[in-house]
Amino acid sequence: MPKTVFHTATTINGFLATDDDSLQWLFDVPTAGLEQGDLTQFMPGVGAIVMGSTTYNWVVDFENLMEHPEKWQPFYGDRPTWVFTSREQRQVPGANLRFTSGDVSEAWAQILASANGGDVWVMGGGELVGQFIDAGLLDEIRLSIAPATLVSGRPLLPRELGTNDLVLTSARQVGAFAELIYEVRR
Ligand SMILES: NC(=O)c1ccc[n+]([C@@H]2O[C@H](COP(=O)([O-])OP(=O)(O)OC[C@H]3O[C@@H](n4cnc5c(N)ncnc54)[C@H](OP(=O)(O)O)[C@@H]3O)[C@@H](O)[C@H]2O)c1
């Protein structure tokens, strides 16, 4: 069965990025051993990707995709990539982008169909993932925890979930990262 998965790197203390959207804390971590990491195994099964507009714009700017749109394909491929936004956004030429807004439940049937039997990767940010949890649509949380902390930043998941909601199904070390996988009880 395809799953809807929040897969992300995070600091130990639950931040996805600094307040000004820097991921330098993540890029500073040695990459040795990451070819054995969860993302390498997870990505081939992903049929569609979902992200919020902050994440989308970060990717567009970081990779300079408006000038180098060919840099989209190696990672995202032709997967439908859904961007939640209430504003008009830049369209990376050639990328299979779908801009949408509002209640995630209303977009859900189209997102799932676009995944064509594959998993749906909800990349973040945390509030958008929270909207999927609120709607009972998230199956799994897969975390790569970097050896880093931040004083403040973009939150991993601003929701209250407890032991009745989350079941630890895997824990392992991959290079400098701790990888944890939780099933989300719907
Ligand atoms: N560590 C990692 O691996 C990792 C993973 C993912 C993201 N990140 C980073 O973490 C940060 C996340 O930023 P963020 O927390 O601001 O989250 P985000 O989810 O990327 O973007 C939030 C924005 O998305 C739009 N949005 C969200 N839900 C919507 C809805 N239902 N309808 C319409 N629009 C909606 C809103 O903007 P508008 O409506 O104004 O467009 C909202 O301000 C970014 O810096 C990103 O690069 C890191």
Side-chain angles (χ1 to χ4, degrees):
M1 280 288 286
K3 292 179 178 172
T4 305
V5 180
F6 177 31
H7 187 307
T8 190
T10 175
T11 69
I12 291 172
N13 58 338
F15 294 110
L16 297 178
T18 62
D19 290 312
D20 58 357
D21 293 314
S22 170
L23 293 181
Q24 196 54 49
W25 56 272
L26 180 57
F27 299 143
D28 287 344
V29 183
T31 55
L34 286 193
E35 61 282 357
Q36 307 298 327
D38 185 47
L39 189 59
T40 312
Q41 293 161 25
F42 171 67
M43 196 59 171
V46 171
I49 293 173
V50 177
M51 65 180 80
S53 66
T54 310
T55 301
Y56 173 69
N57 282 301
W58 184 90
V59 172
V60 172
D61 292 335
F62 183 76
E63 299 285 3
N64 197 12
L65 290 172
M66 297 313 289
E67 284 182 37
H68 292 284
E70 75 280 0
K71 290 165 94 181
W72 179 267
Q73 277 288 328
F75 188 75
Y76 295 91
D78 292 323
R79 293 175 181 86
T81 300
W82 294 78
V83 178
F84 275 84
T85 182
S86 58
R87 297 170 291 141
E88 194 168 330
Q89 300 289 343
R90 297 167 291 176
Q91 163 92 39
V92 176
N96 188 354
L97 287 160
R98 322 266 171 102
F99 296 100
T100 188
S101 68
D103 191 334
V104 297
S105 305
E106 286 175 20
W108 178 241
Q110 285 182 292
I111 294 171
L112 189 61
S114 77
N116 203 18
D119 293 327
V120 175
W121 178 11
V122 186
M123 280 183 113
E127 170 54 33
L128 180 61
V129 175
Q131 294 173 43
F132 277 81
I133 289 176
D134 296 343
L137 294 171
L138 202 79
D139 296 307
E140 208 167 63
I141 298 173
R142 303 171 85 107
L143 303 178
S144 294
I145 302 173
T149 62
L150 293 169
V151 173
S152 65
R154 305 284 188 170
L156 171 68
L157 186 51
R159 290 294 185 278
E160 278 190 33
L161 298 174
T163 188
N164 290 331
D165 309 301
L166 299 173
V167 180
L168 180 67
T169 58
S170 173
R172 65 178 188 139
Q173 180 176 359
V174 178
F177 289 83
E179 287 192 348
L180 303 178
I181 303 178
Y182 293 90
E183 175 194 333
V184 180
R185 288 189 173 148
R186 293 199 188 192

Coordinates of all heavy atoms in Angstrom, one line a residue, residues 49-107:
I49 N 5.2 14.5 -4.7 CA 5.9 15.3 -3.7 C 5.0 16.5 -3.3 O 4.3 17.1 -4.2 CB 7.3 15.8 -4.1 CG1 8.2 14.6 -4.3 CG2 7.9 16.8 -3.2 CD1 9.5 14.9 -4.9
V50 N 4.9 16.8 -2.0 CA 4.1 18.0 -1.6 C 5.0 18.9 -0.7 O 5.8 18.4 0.1 CB 2.9 17.5 -0.7 CG1 2.1 18.7 -0.2 CG2 2.0 16.5 -1.5
M51 N 4.9 20.2 -0.9 CA 5.7 21.1 -0.1 C 5.0 22.4 0.0 O 4.1 22.8 -0.8 CB 7.1 21.3 -0.7 CG 7.1 22.0 -2.0 SD 8.8 22.2 -2.7 CE 9.2 20.6 -3.3
G52 N 5.3 23.2 1.0 CA 4.8 24.6 1.1 C 5.7 25.5 0.3 O 6.8 25.2 -0.2
S53 N 5.2 26.7 0.2 CA 5.8 27.7 -0.7 C 7.2 28.2 -0.2 O 8.0 28.5 -1.0 CB 4.9 28.9 -1.0 OG 4.7 29.7 0.2
T54 N 7.4 28.2 1.1 CA 8.7 28.6 1.6 C 9.7 27.6 1.2 O 10.8 28.0 0.7 CB 8.7 28.7 3.2 OG1 7.6 29.5 3.6 CG2 10.0 29.4 3.7
T55 N 9.4 26.3 1.3 CA 10.3 25.3 0.9 C 10.6 25.3 -0.6 O 11.7 25.3 -1.1 CB 9.8 23.9 1.3 OG1 9.6 23.9 2.7 CG2 10.7 22.8 0.9
Y56 N 9.5 25.5 -1.4 CA 9.6 25.6 -2.8 C 10.6 26.8 -3.2 O 11.5 26.6 -4.0 CB 8.3 25.8 -3.5 CG 8.3 26.1 -4.9 CD1 8.7 25.1 -5.8 CD2 8.0 27.3 -5.5 CE1 8.8 25.3 -7.2 CE2 8.0 27.6 -6.8 CZ 8.4 26.6 -7.7 OH 8.5 26.8 -9.0
N57 N 10.3 27.9 -2.6 CA 11.1 29.1 -3.0 C 12.6 28.9 -2.6 O 13.5 29.4 -3.2 CB 10.5 30.4 -2.5 CG 9.3 30.8 -3.3 OD1 9.5 31.0 -4.5 ND2 8.1 30.9 -2.7
W58 N 12.8 28.2 -1.4 CA 14.1 28.0 -1.0 C 14.9 27.1 -2.0 O 16.0 27.4 -2.4 CB 14.1 27.3 0.4 CG 15.5 27.1 0.9 CD1 16.2 27.9 1.7 CD2 16.4 26.0 0.6 NE1 17.5 27.4 1.9 CE2 17.6 26.2 1.3 CE3 16.2 24.8 -0.1 CZ2 18.7 25.3 1.2 CZ3 17.3 23.9 -0.1 CH2 18.5 24.2 0.5
V59 N 14.2 26.1 -2.5 CA 14.8 25.2 -3.5 C 15.1 26.0 -4.8 O 16.2 25.9 -5.4 CB 13.9 24.0 -3.8 CG1 14.4 23.2 -5.0 CG2 13.7 23.1 -2.6
V60 N 14.1 26.8 -5.2 CA 14.3 27.5 -6.5 C 15.5 28.5 -6.4 O 16.3 28.5 -7.3 CB 13.0 28.3 -6.8 CG1 13.3 29.2 -8.0 CG2 11.9 27.4 -7.1
D61 N 15.6 29.1 -5.2 CA 16.7 30.1 -5.1 C 18.1 29.4 -4.9 O 19.1 29.8 -5.5 CB 16.4 31.0 -3.9 CG 15.3 32.0 -4.2 OD1 15.0 32.2 -5.4 OD2 14.6 32.4 -3.3
F62 N 18.0 28.4 -4.0 CA 19.3 27.7 -3.7 C 19.9 27.1 -4.9 O 21.1 27.1 -5.1 CB 19.0 26.6 -2.6 CG 20.3 25.9 -2.1 CD1 21.2 26.6 -1.3 CD2 20.6 24.6 -2.6 CE1 22.3 25.9 -0.9 CE2 21.7 24.0 -2.1 CZ 22.6 24.7 -1.3
E63 N 19.1 26.4 -5.7 CA 19.6 25.8 -6.9 C 19.6 26.7 -8.1 O 20.0 26.3 -9.2 CB 18.7 24.5 -7.3 CG 18.7 23.5 -6.2 CD 20.0 22.6 -6.1 OE1 20.9 22.9 -6.9 OE2 20.0 21.7 -5.3
N64 N 19.2 28.0 -8.0 CA 19.1 28.9 -9.1 C 18.4 28.3 -10.3 O 18.8 28.4 -11.4 CB 20.6 29.3 -9.5 CG 20.6 30.6 -10.3 OD1 19.6 31.3 -10.4 ND2 21.7 30.8 -11.0
L65 N 17.2 27.8 -10.0 CA 16.5 27.0 -10.9 C 15.8 27.8 -12.1 O 15.6 27.2 -13.1 CB 15.4 26.1 -10.2 CG 15.9 25.0 -9.4 CD1 14.7 24.4 -8.6 CD2 16.6 23.9 -10.2
M66 N 15.6 29.1 -11.8 CA 15.0 29.8 -12.9 C 16.1 30.0 -14.1 O 15.7 30.1 -15.2 CB 14.5 31.2 -12.4 CG 13.4 31.1 -11.4 SD 12.1 29.9 -11.9 CE 11.3 30.8 -13.2
E67 N 17.3 30.0 -13.7 CA 18.4 30.1 -14.7 C 18.9 28.8 -15.1 O 19.4 28.6 -16.2 CB 19.6 31.0 -14.2 CG 19.2 32.5 -14.2 CD 20.4 33.3 -13.7 OE1 21.6 33.0 -14.0 OE2 20.1 34.3 -13.0
H68 N 18.8 27.8 -14.2 CA 19.3 26.4 -14.5 C 18.2 25.4 -14.2 O 18.3 24.6 -13.3 CB 20.5 26.1 -13.7 CG 21.7 26.9 -14.1 ND1 22.4 26.7 -15.2 CD2 22.3 28.0 -13.5 CE1 23.4 27.6 -15.4 NE2 23.3 28.4 -14.3
P69 N 17.1 25.4 -15.0 CA 16.0 24.5 -14.7 C 16.3 23.0 -14.9 O 15.6 22.2 -14.3 CB 14.9 24.9 -15.7 CG 15.6 25.7 -16.8 CD 16.8 26.3 -16.1
E70 N 17.4 22.8 -15.6 CA 17.8 21.4 -15.8 C 18.3 20.7 -14.4 O 18.3 19.5 -14.3 CB 19.0 21.3 -16.8 CG 20.3 21.8 -16.3 CD 20.5 23.3 -16.3 OE1 19.6 24.0 -16.7 OE2 21.6 23.7 -15.9
K71 N 18.5 21.6 -13.4 CA 18.9 21.0 -12.1 C 17.7 20.4 -11.3 O 17.9 19.8 -10.3 CB 19.6 22.1 -11.3 CG 21.0 22.4 -11.9 CD 21.5 23.7 -11.3 CE 22.4 23.5 -10.1 NZ 22.9 24.8 -9.5
W72 N 16.5 20.7 -11.9 CA 15.3 20.1 -11.2 C 15.2 18.6 -11.4 O 15.0 17.8 -10.4 CB 14.0 20.7 -11.8 CG 12.8 20.2 -11.2 CD1 12.0 19.1 -11.7 CD2 12.1 20.6 -10.0 NE1 10.9 18.9 -10.9 CE2 10.9 19.8 -9.9 CE3 12.3 21.7 -9.1 CZ2 10.0 20.0 -8.8 CZ3 11.4 21.9 -8.1 CH2 10.3 21.0 -7.9
Q73 N 15.5 18.1 -12.6 CA 15.3 16.7 -13.0 C 16.0 15.7 -12.1 O 15.5 14.7 -11.7 CB 15.6 16.5 -14.5 CG 14.5 16.9 -15.4 CD 13.3 15.9 -15.3 OE1 13.5 14.7 -15.1 NE2 12.1 16.4 -15.5
P74 N 17.3 15.9 -11.9 CA 18.1 14.8 -11.3 C 17.5 14.4 -9.9 O 17.6 13.2 -9.6 CB 19.5 15.4 -11.1 CG 19.6 16.4 -12.2 CD 18.2 17.0 -12.3
F75 N 16.9 15.3 -9.2 CA 16.4 14.9 -7.9 C 14.9 14.7 -8.0 O 14.4 13.6 -7.5 CB 16.6 16.0 -6.8 CG 16.3 15.6 -5.4 CD1 17.1 14.7 -4.7 CD2 15.1 16.1 -4.8 CE1 16.7 14.3 -3.5 CE2 14.7 15.7 -3.6 CZ 15.5 14.8 -2.9
Y76 N 14.1 15.6 -8.6 CA 12.6 15.5 -8.5 C 12.1 14.6 -9.7 O 11.0 14.1 -9.6 CB 12.0 16.9 -8.6 CG 12.3 17.7 -7.4 CD1 13.5 18.5 -7.3 CD2 11.6 17.6 -6.2 CE1 13.8 19.2 -6.2 CE2 11.9 18.3 -5.1 CZ 13.0 19.1 -5.1 OH 13.3 19.8 -3.9
G77 N 12.9 14.5 -10.8 CA 12.4 13.7 -11.9 C 11.1 14.3 -12.5 O 10.9 15.5 -12.4
D78 N 10.2 13.4 -13.0 CA 9.0 13.9 -13.6 C 7.8 13.8 -12.5 O 6.7 14.0 -12.9 CB 8.6 13.1 -14.8 CG 9.6 13.4 -15.9 OD1 10.0 14.5 -16.1 OD2 9.9 12.4 -16.7
R79 N 8.2 13.5 -11.3 CA 7.1 13.4 -10.3 C 6.3 14.6 -10.2 O 6.8 15.7 -10.1 CB 7.7 13.1 -8.9 CG 8.4 11.8 -8.8 CD 9.1 11.8 -7.4 NE 9.8 10.5 -7.2 CZ 11.1 10.3 -7.6 NH1 11.7 11.3 -8.2 NH2 11.7 9.2 -7.4
P80 N 5.0 14.5 -10.1 CA 4.1 15.6 -9.8 C 4.5 16.2 -8.5 O 4.7 15.5 -7.5 CB 2.7 15.1 -9.8 CG 2.8 13.8 -10.5 CD 4.2 13.3 -10.3
T81 N 4.8 17.5 -8.4 CA 5.2 18.2 -7.2 C 4.2 19.3 -6.9 O 4.1 20.3 -7.7 CB 6.7 18.7 -7.4 OG1 7.5 17.6 -7.7 CG2 7.1 19.4 -6.1
W82 N 3.5 19.1 -5.8 CA 2.4 20.0 -5.4 C 3.0 21.0 -4.4 O 3.6 20.7 -3.4 CB 1.3 19.1 -4.7 CG 0.7 18.2 -5.6 CD1 1.1 17.0 -6.1 CD2 -0.6 18.4 -6.3 NE1 0.3 16.4 -6.9 CE2 -0.8 17.2 -7.1 CE3 -1.6 19.4 -6.3 CZ2 -2.0 17.1 -7.9 CZ3 -2.7 19.2 -7.1 CH2 -2.9 18.1 -7.8
V83 N 2.7 22.3 -4.7 CA 3.2 23.4 -3.9 C 1.9 24.1 -3.3 O 1.1 24.6 -4.1 CB 4.0 24.4 -4.7 CG1 4.5 25.5 -3.8 CG2 5.3 23.7 -5.3
F84 N 1.8 24.1 -2.0 CA 0.7 24.8 -1.4 C 1.1 26.2 -1.2 O 2.1 26.6 -0.6 CB 0.3 24.2 0.0 CG -0.6 23.0 -0.1 CD1 -0.1 21.8 -0.4 CD2 -2.0 23.2 0.0 CE1 -1.0 20.7 -0.5 CE2 -2.8 22.1 -0.1 CZ -2.3 20.9 -0.4
T85 N 0.2 27.1 -1.8 CA 0.5 28.5 -1.7 C -0.8 29.3 -2.0 O -1.6 28.9 -2.8 CB 1.6 29.0 -2.7 OG1 1.9 30.4 -2.6 CG2 1.2 28.7 -4.2
S86 N -0.8 30.5 -1.4 CA -2.0 31.4 -1.7 C -1.5 32.5 -2.7 O -2.3 33.4 -3.0 CB -2.5 32.0 -0.4 OG -1.4 32.7 0.2
R87 N -0.3 32.4 -3.2 CA 0.2 33.5 -4.0 C 0.7 32.9 -5.4 O 1.0 31.7 -5.5 CB 1.4 34.2 -3.3 CG 1.1 34.9 -2.1 CD 2.3 35.3 -1.3 NE 3.0 34.2 -0.8 CZ 4.4 34.1 -0.8 NH1 5.1 35.1 -1.3 NH2 5.0 33.0 -0.3
E88 N 0.8 33.8 -6.3 CA 1.4 33.3 -7.6 C 2.9 33.1 -7.4 O 3.5 33.8 -6.7 CB 1.2 34.4 -8.7 CG 1.4 33.9 -10.0 CD 1.0 34.9 -11.1 OE1 0.0 35.7 -10.8 OE2 1.6 34.9 -12.2
Q89 N 3.3 32.0 -8.0 CA 4.7 31.6 -7.8 C 5.5 31.5 -9.1 O 4.8 31.3 -10.1 CB 4.8 30.2 -7.1 CG 4.1 30.2 -5.7 CD 4.9 30.9 -4.6 OE1 6.1 31.2 -4.8 NE2 4.2 31.2 -3.5
R90 N 6.8 31.5 -9.0 CA 7.6 31.3 -10.2 C 7.4 29.8 -10.6 O 7.3 28.9 -9.7 CB 9.1 31.5 -9.9 CG 9.4 33.0 -9.6 CD 10.7 33.1 -9.0 NE 10.8 32.5 -7.6 CZ 12.0 32.4 -6.9 NH1 13.1 32.9 -7.4 NH2 12.0 31.9 -5.7
Q91 N 7.4 29.5 -11.9 CA 7.3 28.2 -12.4 C 8.6 27.7 -13.0 O 9.1 28.3 -14.0 CB 6.2 28.1 -13.5 CG 6.2 26.9 -14.4 CD 5.3 25.8 -13.9 OE1 4.2 26.1 -13.4 NE2 5.7 24.6 -14.1
V92 N 9.3 26.8 -12.4 CA 10.5 26.3 -13.0 C 10.2 25.6 -14.3 O 9.4 24.7 -14.4 CB 11.2 25.2 -12.0 CG1 12.4 24.7 -12.6 CG2 11.5 25.9 -10.7
P93 N 10.8 26.1 -15.4 CA 10.5 25.5 -16.7 C 10.8 24.0 -16.8 O 11.8 23.5 -16.3 CB 11.5 26.3 -17.6 CG 11.8 27.6 -16.9 CD 11.8 27.2 -15.5
G94 N 9.8 23.3 -17.3 CA 9.9 21.9 -17.5 C 9.6 21.0 -16.2 O 9.5 19.8 -16.4
A95 N 9.5 21.7 -15.1 CA 9.2 20.9 -13.9 C 7.7 20.6 -13.8 O 6.8 21.4 -14.2 CB 9.6 21.7 -12.6
N96 N 7.3 19.4 -13.3 CA 5.9 18.9 -13.2 C 5.3 19.5 -11.9 O 5.2 18.8 -10.9 CB 5.9 17.4 -13.3 CG 4.4 16.9 -13.4 OD1 3.5 17.7 -13.3 ND2 4.3 15.6 -13.5
L97 N 5.0 20.8 -11.9 CA 4.5 21.5 -10.7 C 3.0 21.7 -10.8 O 2.4 22.0 -11.8 CB 5.2 22.9 -10.7 CG 6.7 22.9 -10.3 CD1 7.4 24.2 -10.7 CD2 6.8 22.6 -8.8
R98 N 2.4 21.5 -9.6 CA 1.0 21.8 -9.4 C 0.8 22.7 -8.2 O 1.1 22.3 -7.1 CB 0.2 20.5 -9.2 CG 0.7 19.3 -9.9 CD 0.0 19.1 -11.2 NE 0.6 18.0 -12.0 CZ 0.2 16.8 -12.1 NH1 -0.9 16.4 -11.5 NH2 0.8 15.9 -12.9
F99 N 0.4 23.9 -8.5 CA 0.2 24.9 -7.4 C -1.3 24.8 -6.9 O -2.2 24.7 -7.7 CB 0.5 26.3 -7.8 CG 1.9 26.5 -8.2 CD1 2.3 26.4 -9.6 CD2 2.9 26.6 -7.3 CE1 3.6 26.6 -9.9 CE2 4.2 26.8 -7.6 CZ 4.6 26.7 -9.0
T100 N -1.4 24.7 -5.6 CA -2.8 24.6 -5.0 C -2.8 25.3 -3.7 O -1.8 25.7 -3.1 CB -3.1 23.1 -4.8 OG1 -4.4 22.9 -4.4 CG2 -2.2 22.4 -3.7
S101 N -4.0 25.5 -3.1 CA -4.2 26.2 -1.9 C -5.4 25.7 -1.1 O -6.3 25.0 -1.7 CB -4.3 27.7 -2.1 OG -5.5 28.0 -2.7
G102 N -5.5 26.0 0.1 CA -6.7 25.7 0.9 C -6.5 24.4 1.7 O -5.4 23.9 2.0
D103 N -7.7 23.8 2.0 CA -7.8 22.6 2.8 C -7.1 21.4 2.1 O -7.4 21.1 0.9 CB -9.3 22.3 2.9 CG -9.5 21.2 4.0 OD1 -8.6 20.4 4.2 OD2 -10.6 21.2 4.6
V104 N -6.1 20.8 2.8 CA -5.4 19.7 2.2 C -6.3 18.5 1.8 O -6.1 17.8 0.8 CB -4.2 19.2 3.1 CG1 -3.2 20.3 3.3 CG2 -4.7 18.7 4.4
S105 N -7.4 18.4 2.6 CA -8.4 17.3 2.3 C -9.0 17.4 0.9 O -9.3 16.5 0.2 CB -9.5 17.2 3.3 OG -9.0 17.1 4.5
E106 N -9.2 18.7 0.5 CA -9.8 18.9 -0.8 C -8.9 18.6 -2.0 O -9.3 18.2 -3.0 CB -10.4 20.4 -0.9 CG -11.6 20.5 0.0 CD -12.1 21.9 0.1 OE1 -11.8 22.7 -0.8 OE2 -12.9 22.2 1.0
A107 N -7.6 18.8 -1.7 CA -6.6 18.6 -2.8 C -6.2 17.1 -2.8 O -5.6 16.6 -3.8 CB -5.4 19.4 -2.6

